[in-house]
Amino acid sequence: MCGITGMMYFDNRDISDASLHAMMDVIRHRGPDDSGVWTDPGIGLGFRRLSIIDLKEGHQPLCNEDESVWIVFNGEIYNYQPLRERLLAQGHRFRTHTDTEVIVHLYEEYGEDCVQHLRGMFGFVIWDRARKKLFGARDHFGIKPFYYAHDGKRFLFASEIKSLLAVEGFERRLAEESLLQYLTFQYVPEPNTMFEGISKLPPAHTVTVTPDGRMKLNRYWDPMFAPVQRPFQDVVEELRAKLKDSVIHHMHSDVDRGCFLSSGIDSTAIATHMRAIEPIRTFSVGFEGANNETVIAKETAAAIGTEHYAKIITERDFFDSVPSAVWHQDEPVADPSAIALYHVAKLAREHVTVVLSGEGADELFGGYRIYREPLALRPLGWLPLPLKRMLHQIVRLLPGGLTGRNYLLRATTPLEERFLGNAKLFGEDAKGALVRSGRGLLQTYQDPWKVAGQYYAKTKHLDPVTRMQYIDMNLWMPGDILMKADKMTMAHSLELRVPFLDKELFEFARTIPTDYRLGGGTTKYVFRKAMEGIIPDFILNRPKLGFPVPLRDWLKGTRGAELLDQIRASGIDHILELSEVERMLKLHRNGQGDYSRLLWAVYIFALWHSTYLQEAKGYGRERSVTVS
């Protein structure tokens, strides 16, 4: 796990080591063990290393035998050993035993199709010296980040946005359309970021840049579902085998490994499989109160026999760490659980360098409760669309608190108009009231329904549940789940691996019939059945908690007023109507609604603005907490 940076100038100018070091130094937390630069006319590559595999030989940038192909690579390739054997048989010569060098020789053998052979997580850039071509790629699911800026004169890339901002003369500007999307999704959907002029390379994409400045993006893979009906028990048995195989591959490292452990089935399944192979350490955090995850996690650890570590996050711990978390995230992500993840990563890094975690299981196997909604709405599914539209208009006129009104509204709303993914904060009218320029922008920007629409258009042949999963695979998972997973763990120089998001496992999971995913009156039905006899019984059917942050209660007290003061001091009063924020807080504190998630979204944006835009000179240092 590392950090990559670099720049390509189309006028073929010399690249200074100092420029590359400026980009590298600001992401030292991603790779505190080693660093390296390489330059040629018009091109410069920079690298920070967290040593995981082949601790002695893994220095980057790395090249092939004749120095015609150079690479900087962030990630892990889990099938690199069989790939290496194949390449050796094809006549390639290796100088190291790293997975990085395997990518170099794969590129020599297959060109841009090298990505088709990789099983793992990655963000890398290759400089093809003979062809004067830059080739970059991001892994299938978007586990590892890849940011870039292309302005016609140069192409900049990095694992984190803050590296791009460290380039002399780079102008930082707010992308207003991204702000509007963020307020709905709680993150900025790919390929946009909150910075004007900076983009995210989407998952499963490659980028090619030529010396004349031409840039081409290409999608090399699509996480499309294709359910196939077959015997239930056959699916159960194959799922067990595929998950075990994935965990084994994800455990390969030359440093100590552990596992995050919550109160749910996903992380428990990973930890149990790991423990069957070797003694491991597990880590959990929680909050005081009825939903304290550490209580169940401790019982689970005892049942499966792990060396367990836990921490209770106090309200003060939580809020004191928010500025540092915001700095590490690069752009605002209004998911309060990111802060809990920040703390469990800090705890784990005191003991191990690599952790495995359960991200991705819900998207693969149908784990979110919202996925059951299409089943609940079936009684009205037979109605013709014109009749649904008419009934919808009638129901809208009914009193707001009337029993059944919300059910009828959702049942008469097409899926494409009611589901944007696992987070939907501000509606369009609310954004128009909150954002000062919002009313005008709302008429012209790509609204959230158009963002989701491109994925709905590709899944018309699938059932509603599977379409919802596909939406989350392309929006929620890379934008929220994997973004916070990477940034909050790398904040502490900790490598996170996600065995559920494995290309081989997905090729099987995509074929699971919908009624196997949501059968037996529960979510992830076939997965729960597959884990019977493997994980403790008391975990099998526990409801998902997902780091339940007591934000609602905290904001009703003095903490709400403190947040409002910080929002006022952040310099966003020319962007947002602070009177609207004050109104939401007043309603929340008076018990007239739960506005905690909306207020949190504004607060995180305010901290981001004060960190990256208002206090421009502070962008290159972590706020409040020292970088590891």
Side-chain angles (χ1 to χ4, degrees), residues 165 172-174 195 565-575 578 605-619 621 623:
L165 303 180
R172 282 164 285 131
R173 302 187 307 273
L174 169 69
F195 293 89
D565 288 341
Q566 289 180 275
I567 291 170
R568 288 176 178 141
S570 67
I572 63 170
D573 52 308
H574 66 292
I575 302 171
L578 296 192
F605 172 73
L607 288 186
W608 171 84
H609 183 273
S610 65
T611 300
Y612 281 99
L613 297 185
Q614 186 184 45
E615 299 176 11
K617 294 180 181 179
Y619 75 86
R621 65 178 186 274
R623 295 163 59 83

Side-chain angles (χ1 to χ4, degrees), residues 6 104 117 175 180 199 233 294 308 320 325 389 429 461 498 582:
V104 171
H117 301 265
L180 291 177
S199 301
Q233 195 57 37
T294 63
H308 189 63
D320 283 354
R389 296 285 192 191
D429 290 343
H461 62 292
V498 282
E582 293 166 358

Side-chain angles (χ1 to χ4, degrees), residues 25-225:
D25 289 348
V26 76
I27 57 168
R28 187 179 183 276
H29 51 277
R30 294 192 75 91
D33 298 331
D34 189 22
S35 65
V37 300
W38 177 83
T39 63
D40 221 21
I43 185 73
L45 307 177
F47 178 73
R48 297 276 345 177
R49 186 186 187 204
L50 177 64
S51 301
I52 302 293
I53 292 176
D54 198 351
L55 305 184
K56 295 181 180 179
E57 298 181 329
H59 182 77
Q60 294 185 44
L62 182 147
C63 65
N64 61 348
E65 306 96 310
D66 63 5
E67 299 189 358
S68 63
V69 177
W70 286 82
I71 188 173
V72 282
F73 159 62
N74 168 34
E76 303 291 347
I77 306 302
Y78 302 120
N79 64 335
Y80 80 95
Q81 290 172 324
L83 288 174
R84 188 176 190 273
E85 293 303 315
R86 185 206 307 172
L87 290 163
L88 283 169
Q90 292 170 326
H92 291 266
R93 292 181 297 161
F94 285 77
R95 291 184 291 181
T96 74
H97 291 83
T98 64
D99 52 352
T100 307
E101 192 175 4
V102 167
I103 302 175
V104 171
H105 291 285
L106 277 174
Y107 178 80
E108 287 186 290
E109 189 72 26
Y110 302 107
E112 296 181 11
D113 286 338
C114 64
V115 292
Q116 302 290 352
H117 301 265
L118 300 176
R119 179 184 184 181
M121 55 183 182
F122 53 85
F124 67 80
V125 162
I126 285 175
W127 175 246
D128 189 326
R129 206 174 186 183
R131 296 178 178 85
K132 300 296 182 185
K133 181 178 73 173
L134 182 147
F135 173 68
R138 191 176 179 200
D139 66 71
H140 301 73
F141 300 97
I143 303 168
K144 303 317 299 172
F146 189 117
Y147 298 96
Y148 69 89
H150 180 275
D151 62 7
K153 298 179 180 178
R154 62 187 178 181
F155 180 83
L156 309 174
F157 68 88
S159 295
E160 297 191 11
I161 288 175
K162 57 182 66 68
S163 288
L164 306 182
L165 303 180
V167 176
E168 185 177 359
F170 196 99
E171 185 177 353
R172 282 164 285 131
R173 302 187 307 273
L174 169 69
E176 288 192 319
E177 290 195 9
S178 292
L179 171 59
L180 291 177
Q181 291 180 349
Y182 160 79
L183 289 172
T184 292
F185 287 105
Q186 82 177 19
Y187 55 87
V188 179
E190 331 251 342
N192 300 320
T193 73
M194 197 65 84
F195 293 89
E196 192 73 43
I198 297 179
S199 301
K200 289 175 270 199
L201 183 65
H205 276 68
T206 63
V207 58
T208 305
V209 187
T210 53
D212 58 3
R214 287 181 297 169
M215 183 181 74
K216 181 184 72 174
L217 298 183
N218 177 60
R219 183 163 197 167
Y220 64 85
W221 184 79
D222 188 359
M224 181 59 70
F225 291 86

Side-chain angles (χ1 to χ4, degrees), residues 34 52 167 184 230 238 246 249 333 386 410 453 533 554 561 592 595:
D34 189 22
I52 302 293
V167 176
T184 292
R230 50 189 163 142
E238 189 171 354
S246 181
H249 278 81
V333 176
R410 296 190 69 79
W554 285 344
Q592 295 175 266
Y595 291 83

Side-chain angles (χ1 to χ4, degrees), residues 301-315:
I304 64 178
T306 70
E307 181 181 330
H308 189 63
Y309 298 86
K311 176 186 176 181
I312 299 297
I313 305 172
T314 67
E315 179 181 346

Side-chain angles (χ1 to χ4, degrees), residues 236-244 529-532 534:
V236 167
E237 295 299 329
E238 189 171 354
L239 176 50
R240 286 174 178 163
K242 291 290 186 182
L243 180 58
K244 180 179 179 181
K529 286 296 182 181
M531 293 301 103
E532 285 184 352
I534 295 176

Side-chain angles (χ1 to χ4, degrees), residues 241-460:
K242 291 290 186 182
L243 180 58
K244 180 179 179 181
D245 176 72
S246 181
V247 171
I248 290 171
H249 278 81
H250 281 71
M251 287 182 69
H252 181 69
S253 72
D254 295 330
V255 294
D256 290 339
R257 327 167 256 275
C259 187
F260 289 159
L261 185 62
S262 68
S263 63
I265 186 174
D266 305 335
S267 61
T268 302
I270 301 299
T272 303
H273 279 84
M274 292 178 70
R275 181 63 187 89
I277 298 169
E278 66 182 21
I280 64 164
R281 300 177 179 123
T282 51
F283 309 94
S284 65
V285 295
F287 301 91
E288 292 179 329
N291 291 324
N292 180 359
E293 288 221 321
T294 63
V295 176
I296 301 298
K298 183 178 179 180
E299 294 177 10
T300 304
I304 64 178
T306 70
E307 181 181 330
H308 189 63
Y309 298 86
K311 176 186 176 181
I312 299 297
I313 305 172
T314 67
E315 179 181 346
R316 180 172 181 178
D317 290 336
F318 185 87
F319 283 97
D320 283 354
S321 59
V322 173
S324 176
V326 168
W327 184 84
H328 279 286
Q329 285 178 332
D330 281 335
E331 53 180 335
V333 176
D335 188 340
S337 69
I339 312 303
L341 184 55
Y342 179 93
H343 282 273
V344 74
K346 183 179 180 181
L347 173 65
R349 189 60 178 93
E350 295 171 3
H351 304 276
V352 297
T353 308
V354 171
V355 289
L356 276 62
S357 188
E359 280 83 356
D362 292 314
E363 289 78 10
L364 262 65
F365 304 120
Y368 296 117
R369 280 176 288 182
I370 189 65
Y371 293 159
R372 295 192 57 80
E373 184 181 65
L375 307 180
L377 300 181
R378 274 182 181 173
L380 293 181
W382 60 272
L383 291 175
L385 183 59
L387 186 56
K388 284 184 179 180
R389 296 285 192 191
M390 182 176 68
L391 181 57
H392 186 84
Q393 295 303 318
I394 294 173
V395 174
R396 287 184 63 183
L397 301 176
L398 298 175
L402 188 67
T403 302
R405 179 179 182 272
N406 187 58
Y407 174 86
L408 290 172
L409 284 176
R410 296 190 69 79
T412 54
T413 302
L415 176 65
E416 298 90 336
E417 298 175 20
R418 72 171 189 264
F419 183 74
L420 285 171
N422 264 279
K424 182 177 181 296
L425 299 181
F426 290 87
E428 299 303 281
D429 290 343
K431 288 191 290 189
L434 179 65
V435 181
R436 286 186 176 271
S437 58
R439 293 179 181 86
L441 275 176
L442 288 172
Q443 307 304 314
T444 59
Y445 88 121
Q446 186 184 30
D447 68 55
W449 300 106
K450 292 177 183 176
V451 173
Q454 62 184 308
Y455 303 112
Y456 276 122
K458 298 172 68 174
T459 58
K460 292 180 180 179

